[in-house]
Amino acid sequence: MEECGGGDLLSEAMGSGARVVLVEDCVEAPAAFVLHLLLKRAFAGAGAAVFLALSQPFSHYDRILRKMGCNLSLHRRSERLHFFELQAFPGKQSLFYLVLFGLEKLSCNYYLVRCHFICFFAAGGAKEASITDSFVRLYSQIQRVVETNWTGENAGKFIIMIDDISLLEVAAHGSVNDVLDFLHYCVTLTSEMNCSLVILIHEDIYSSEENMGLLVHLRYIADLVIKAAPLSTGLAADVHGQLSVVNKCVFSEQRSKVQKVWNFHFKMKENGAEFFYPGSRR
Amino acid sequence: MAEAAVRCLRDGRLDGEHAPALAMEGSLQCCPLAAGAMLHVAAALASQVVSGKAQARGVVIVAFDHSPEVYLDFIRRRGLDSKALDRCVRILDCYSDPLGWKQKIQNQPHQERNRKQLSTKKENVAVFRNVKDVKMLMNSITELGGGFQGEGKLYFSVAVDSISSMLRHASVPSISGLLSNLRSHDQVSSIFWLVHSDLHEPKVPRAFECLSTMVVCVEPALVDPACGESSGTMSFLEQNYTKAKFIFRLKRRNGRVKHFFEEIHVEGNDVKFISAPSINTEVSQSLLPKVHFNLELSEKERSDRANVVLPFEHQGKGEPIRIYDGRRSLPELQQDPNLSTLSLVDEIKSTKSGTSKGEIHYIRDSDDEQLDSDEDPDDDLDI
């Protein structure tokens, strides 16, 4: 992962080379700010991004990133941000909509904003097939965007970001296998196109034994896991939680031992977040 | 004991037996190391194949979890040149396009294809696009394996990384069917696979263990006593990402099961093993309480102890040494009637009637010996 303007603990802990980043959070300590931070850094480093938004509309991200000094609307217009607004309306048992706004590039090289309505019919095989089909369609759009952006100089600065995967599972009618297939294809993109994939997951949804499926699979896929949790020692006025970063890439070029596991506190601010080791602040 | 595992895979199958199979298991706590162990075994076997020491003429790697480049790079780093690699390693790529989506997208008529061909077509990589079809997978593996160059009967080895990914697309019975079909296929010299044990119910990895002759478990070096993912486990995690226990279980043909264990760790780009005894002495040195008297034996004391003849052992004092291993074959019995149990009983009876003093007749069991070295691969053969 390309880091720019970093120098804080998080970027130090993330290092470079992690292609698949899993961000875990829970209700007490949401980690959406990590996504915002990574998005901002990607744009600061002249990169581009595909954003699959399931939890919030575009204006939400635009407002937050603007306070952090990054103009998402501008990036969207200049086609460095490809925003897929996948707002899921809870299914009325028989009918389920997945609205998919996407920029679709036509062969004559001009962009058209198109709006897809994909209907999921909750009836037997038809439903299953249409879920898979819509994932194939979504993937094909992502692949196209990544391919058109893949040029020599910005290779490796492209991010695919999913906020959040739990809602994608809901959109797929709880079919973990379909979500995993889709993710696998996104992962193959990261190794073929040298881009990175950032996935947000709400860890506490998967706390029970029989429901672990998606979370465990994601932990296997990930090269780097960032986990946000409330402060283990209790509440504090100026510490909002703790982050643990686990780097799972075992093979590295340098012989020296690299720190694999990091643990530090964070404090959220209006225009970003501050990271520090426990006890290093007054 | 990774070496012993590779040796078994290298030696391959005997006539009239199924191919030896190695099941490797890892959990999330040490999953990068389990994957590393898998890469190590594949690379070690490939270099044996290239040097011509193995029964197999080539290795077919069925890649689900990593892109083919990962395997090729790792094997290349072990010092194999690309010519030998092309000759002896084939990869069935189930990673790039397992469900054929990419092909579907490519075949869409209205799309203008101006995609830069990034992945240059490699001769020894075949892309497999329908992993749900287990029968077709079997055919592709044997087809790839049949393509190796050589004279006489051509054997090949199969590596599957990993079963867990296969199980997302197919059922347990169909995958175990595939594995046992491969084991009994007359061209397969050996087979090994990786399972992520915590992705499945406990019975699933067990089912695959039953199909194998060897099992390797990569387990975390330190087990967290609290057994939860609280913040206190961080130091444990750090330890577990740098090294792990490599437990090797070997099932002999006569049914005897042996256990070995080693430590596996990663150094730079390579996987290294440390044999267990060195760790044991380290641990005992640091863990033994400091006392005034000596708990350890000196070298002389140790050799003296080895020379002591136990009171119930009369062996070596002029009498022939008998070792009972529980499976004398019939012709041998006839040649040497002394050893048959019947005559033994007679002997005991006669001594009983002859002298009044009691005697214990003890025949040493072959299992009492020191663990035999694995150098002799034929020691368990009933020839």
Side-chain angles (χ1 to χ4, degrees):
Chain A
M1 171 155 296
E2 199 68 29
E3 293 300 334
C4 271
D8 61 6
L9 267 176
L10 182 64
S11 55
E12 197 186 333
M14 286 180 71
S16 60
R19 280 186 179 147
V20 183
V21 179
L22 178 67
V23 183
E24 293 180 15
D25 71 354
C26 53
V27 175
E28 294 87 5
F33 75 94
V34 176
L35 294 196
H36 304 147
L37 216 61
L38 294 181
L39 201 59
K40 183 195 162 189
R41 278 181 197 163
F43 287 127
V50 165
F51 199 102
L52 303 186
L54 289 112
S55 61
Q56 305 285 351
F58 177 75
S59 51
H60 169 85
Y61 300 103
D62 193 26
R63 259 172 232 151
I64 292 174
L65 267 290
R66 193 159 296 183
K67 278 203 172 157
M68 294 165 73
C70 173
N71 192 337
L72 279 193
S73 311
L74 197 72
H75 289 309
R76 194 180 184 181
R77 274 200 296 279
S78 64
E79 278 153 24
R80 280 173 66 199
L81 171 68
H82 301 268
F83 196 85
F84 290 80
E85 202 157 343
L86 303 150
Q87 297 260 304
F89 304 111
K92 284 182 186 168
Q93 279 170 7
S94 61
L95 205 59
F96 188 81
Y97 295 101
L98 183 81
V99 186
L100 194 151
F101 288 95
L103 282 169
E104 191 170 326
K105 191 191 175 199
L106 295 182
S107 51
C108 49
N109 263 347
Y110 102 93
Y111 286 84
L112 200 72
V113 181
R114 285 177 58 168
C115 172
H116 305 262
F117 286 85
I118 300 163
C119 301
F120 289 154
F121 292 95
K127 178 192 93 182
E128 213 168 85
S130 67
I131 289 174
T132 312
D133 283 348
S134 44
F135 272 123
V136 174
R137 227 168 306 165
L138 181 59
Y139 170 73
S140 80
Q141 299 205 352
I142 294 171
Q143 185 184 313
R144 211 175 313 148
V145 169
V146 175
E147 275 173 6
T148 48
N149 276 275
W150 198 87
T151 52
E153 80 259 18
N154 70 357
K157 288 178 182 171
F158 201 92
I159 290 190
I160 303 168
M161 206 171 258
I162 303 176
D163 180 19
D164 58 274
I165 201 74
S166 317
L167 285 173
L168 201 62
E169 193 189 351
V170 173
H173 274 224
S175 161
V176 177
N177 248 343
D178 280 318
V179 177
L180 285 173
D181 288 340
F182 170 70
L183 280 179
H184 178 86
Y185 272 94
C186 291
V187 172
T188 60
L189 269 189
T190 67
S191 62
E192 276 169 23
M193 301 289 191
N194 197 19
C195 55
S196 55
L197 174 68
V198 180
I199 307 164
L200 177 70
I201 190 166
H202 301 308
E203 178 233 14
D204 43 359
I205 303 176
Y206 302 93
S207 50
S208 77
E209 274 292 322
E210 71 268 21
N211 198 12
M212 286 288 276
L214 186 60
L215 183 63
V216 180
H217 271 105
L218 280 175
R219 283 180 182 163
Y220 266 110
I221 294 170
D223 299 325
L224 188 99
V225 179
I226 302 174
K227 184 174 169 173
L231 206 57
S232 60
T233 49
L235 294 174
D238 54 353
V239 182
H240 293 148
Q242 59 187 34
L243 275 191
S244 11
V245 181
V246 178
N247 194 339
K248 290 169 60 182
C249 307
V250 278
F251 298 114
S252 62
E253 287 301 330
Q254 64 263 48
R255 293 249 143 191
S256 61
K257 222 171 176 179
V258 190
Q259 190 176 346
K260 298 267 181 222
V261 182
W262 298 67
N263 202 1
F264 44 81
H265 292 169
F266 66 83
K267 184 188 179 187
M268 316 260 276
K269 290 174 170 174
E270 273 298 290
N271 56 354
E274 195 183 335
F275 304 103
F276 47 91
Y277 281 122
S280 63
R281 289 162 92 242
R282 281 185 294 113
Chain B
M1 281 302 129
E3 217 177 294
V6 173
R7 208 155 46 215
C8 286
L9 294 174
R10 176 199 71 185
D11 290 340
R13 76 193 303 166
L14 287 170
D15 261 349
E17 300 263 0
H18 283 175
L22 167 68
M24 303 177 86
E25 290 174 16
S27 65
L28 197 56
Q29 281 173 303
C30 52
C31 88
L33 286 159
M38 182 74 191
L39 284 173
H40 167 83
V41 172
L45 184 64
S47 58
Q48 297 274 13
V49 167
V50 167
S51 64
K53 286 180 196 155
Q55 184 190 38
R57 292 295 159 81
V59 185
V60 176
I61 300 176
V62 185
F64 275 86
D65 283 13
H66 305 287
S67 73
E69 265 69 51
V70 174
Y71 301 94
L72 293 175
D73 284 348
F74 192 88
I75 297 174
R76 219 171 276 140
R77 280 202 294 270
R78 286 288 173 89
L80 291 195
D81 57 81
S82 51
K83 215 170 144 192
L85 209 62
D86 281 348
R87 185 163 50 89
C88 293
V89 179
R90 300 266 188 284
I91 295 183
L92 188 64
D93 180 7
C94 303
Y95 167 85
S96 305
D97 194 8
L99 299 166
W101 290 10
K102 283 180 186 169
Q103 201 179 32
K104 206 189 273 179
I105 294 166
Q106 209 162 8
N107 289 347
Q108 274 169 10
H110 63 270
Q111 277 196 23
E112 181 201 347
R113 299 310 314 164
N114 57 351
R115 181 182 175 180
K116 302 144 202 110
Q117 279 299 318
L118 291 167
S119 44
T120 43
K121 200 92 182 105
K122 284 223 176 69
E123 199 177 297
N124 53 350
V125 177
V127 182
F128 188 75
R129 295 182 196 276
N130 186 11
V131 293
K132 288 193 198 300
D133 191 343
V134 177
K135 213 179 246 172
M136 206 160 109
L137 188 62
M138 170 84 190
N139 290 342
S140 306
I141 293 171
T142 47
E143 200 177 299
L144 268 186
F148 291 111
Q149 310 281 318
E151 295 154 9
K153 190 168 185 187
L154 293 178
Y155 289 101
F156 63 94
S157 294
V158 183
V160 184
D161 186 20
S162 65
I163 295 289
S164 302
S165 309
M166 291 176 95
L167 281 174
R168 280 212 305 110
H169 305 289
S171 64
V172 176
S174 63
I175 299 296
S176 28
L178 171 78
L179 290 179
S180 54
N181 281 346
L182 279 173
R183 271 197 74 192
S184 52
H185 190 276
D186 61 352
Q187 272 187 299
V188 174
S189 157
S190 54
I191 176 167
F192 56 104
W193 60 79
L194 178 69
V195 181
H196 302 304
S197 53
D198 45 4
L199 281 178
H200 316 282
E201 291 173 62
K203 65 180 181 189
V204 176
R206 288 271 160 203
F208 291 110
E209 272 178 40
C210 289
L211 286 176
S212 62
T213 51
M214 294 169 279
V215 179
V216 162
C217 293
V218 181
E219 286 182 2
L222 290 171
V223 179
D224 178 12
C227 205
E229 285 203 44
S230 63
S231 59
T233 63
M234 279 300 153
S235 59
F236 284 107
L237 267 177
E238 179 82 43
Q239 281 285 322
N240 286 337
Y241 279 107
T242 48
K243 60 183 179 189
K245 275 191 256 178
F246 184 88
I247 300 169
F248 176 51
R249 212 161 66 217
L250 173 65
K251 200 156 70 188
R252 293 272 160 143
R253 253 177 230 99
N254 60 5
R256 199 166 125 203
V257 178
K258 285 184 168 186
H259 289 262
F260 304 97
F261 109 89
E262 267 184 331
E263 193 186 84
I264 175 174
H265 66 274
V266 170
E267 234 178 72
N269 264 327
D270 210 355
V271 180
K272 294 268 160 60
F273 292 88
I274 305 174
S275 57
S278 66
I279 305 161
N280 282 350
T281 53
E282 213 172 88
V283 168
S284 63
Q285 272 166 10
S286 58
L287 287 187
L288 276 180
K290 293 216 165 24
V291 287
H292 296 297
F293 49 91
N294 192 12
L295 281 173
E296 290 288 304
L297 293 176
S298 72
E299 204 47 53
K300 188 180 173 298
E301 285 167 329
R302 204 166 289 165
S303 68
D304 285 349
R305 188 178 71 168
N307 286 333
V308 171
V309 179
L310 296 174
F312 47 83
E313 226 177 331
H314 328 279
Q315 316 222 353
K317 293 191 297 183
E319 292 174 45
I321 295 180
R322 296 172 190 164
I323 293 177
Y324 175 73
D325 68 352
R327 49 189 170 97
R328 291 267 163 226
S329 47
L330 201 63
E332 218 175 327
L333 264 177
Q334 285 158 354
Q335 277 170 12
D336 192 359
N338 272 347
L339 280 177
S340 72
T341 41
L342 258 179
S343 69
L344 251 178
V345 173
D346 287 346
E347 204 179 306
I348 293 168
K349 271 183 187 161
S350 66
T351 49
K352 253 186 188 168
S353 56
T355 60
S356 57
K357 89 176 176 193
E359 246 182 41
I360 299 168
H361 282 259
Y362 167 75
I363 295 175
R364 203 196 300 168
D365 198 308
S366 62
D367 272 345
D368 288 355
E369 287 176 292
Q370 291 288 313
L371 284 180
D372 44 2
S373 72
D374 257 323
E375 286 308 318
D376 179 15
D378 294 332
D379 66 341
D380 59 335
L381 286 184
D382 262 329
I383 301 171

